[in-house]
Amino acid sequence: MEKIGPIILIDDDMEDLETYKLAFDSLHLKNEILLFQSAEVALAYLKISIDPCFFILCDINMPKMNGIELRAELNKENFLSLKSIPFLFFSTSSHISHIFSAYNSSIQGYFQKPTDFKDIQLMFKTIVSYWGSSLIPVPSYFAENPYPKNVR
């Protein structure tokens, strides 16, 4: 199943973001790849966008607002909760406290960043395949209620 909406990538390292974009581009997806170097800018975008998103792939360790804090902010927004956007962490850290904190914030996946480009491609292909097959309530809800006034 082909999912509409952009793939949101959030990481404070622009080189990493560009590498991830190349890896997604190599998969020849129709989805737009949106890059955000800060959680604050990504949050602002998500709050005003009415478009569905395929999924969010976010680094956990970032300055100012980290990934856990971003997830907490997204969980507070009823409108964003209804969009059922899969939220995944993509981090160099495999520390159990990070993983525990991440899942405690209601994420849908935690992946450790591979160092090899081919491994990144394979991981992204697997993530896209999984979430492309997963059913979510967004399309039918927003078709009937394109601008839910009482949700925001």
Side-chain angles (χ1 to χ4, degrees), residues 8 11 17 19 25 34-35 37 40 45 57 63 77 82 93 95 103-104 116 139 141 148:
I8 308 289
D11 196 308
L17 283 174
T19 299
D25 288 347
L34 299 179
L35 309 177
Q37 245 185 303
E40 298 87 356
Y45 167 81
L57 192 63
E77 297 287 331
L82 285 173
S93 173
H95 196 276
Y103 278 102
N104 198 36
D116 182 70
Y141 178 83

Side-chain angles (χ1 to χ4, degrees), residues 5-132:
I7 294 172
I8 308 289
L9 303 178
I10 309 165
D11 196 308
D12 60 311
D13 186 322
M14 194 57 178
E15 283 185 38
D16 283 354
L17 283 174
E18 289 170 356
T19 299
Y20 305 152
K21 183 168 182 351
L22 285 173
F24 275 113
D25 288 347
S26 74
L27 300 177
H28 306 291
L29 304 174
K30 293 181 181 178
N31 305 77
E32 183 178 11
I33 309 299
L34 299 179
L35 309 177
F36 294 94
Q37 245 185 303
S38 78
E40 298 87 356
V41 175
L43 179 61
Y45 167 81
L46 291 165
K47 283 183 174 183
I48 63 167
S49 173
I50 59 167
D51 297 326
C53 296
F54 188 177
F55 59 82
I56 297 169
L57 192 63
C58 182
D59 189 11
I60 200 167
N61 295 312
M62 295 183 288
K64 295 183 185 175
M65 179 186 290
N66 66 38
I68 300 285
E69 293 164 335
L70 171 61
R71 182 61 179 161
E73 288 299 313
L74 292 175
N75 285 340
K76 291 179 189 175
E77 297 287 331
N78 289 336
F79 178 68
L80 292 174
S81 293
L82 285 173
K83 289 174 91 173
S84 301
I85 305 167
F87 192 98
L88 314 169
F89 277 120
F90 196 58
S91 179
T92 55
S93 173
S94 62
H95 196 276
I96 192 66
S97 66
H98 286 153
I99 297 168
F100 180 79
S101 295
Y103 278 102
N104 198 36
S105 67
S106 302
I107 62 158
Q108 287 71 48
Y110 190 107
F111 300 89
Q112 188 172 19
K113 293 178 182 179
T115 54
D116 182 70
F117 186 76
K118 292 275 187 206
D119 292 337
I120 293 170
Q121 286 176 303
L122 180 59
M123 186 174 285
F124 287 174
K125 183 177 180 179
T126 302
I127 290 169
V128 167
S129 176
Y130 178 86
W131 287 108

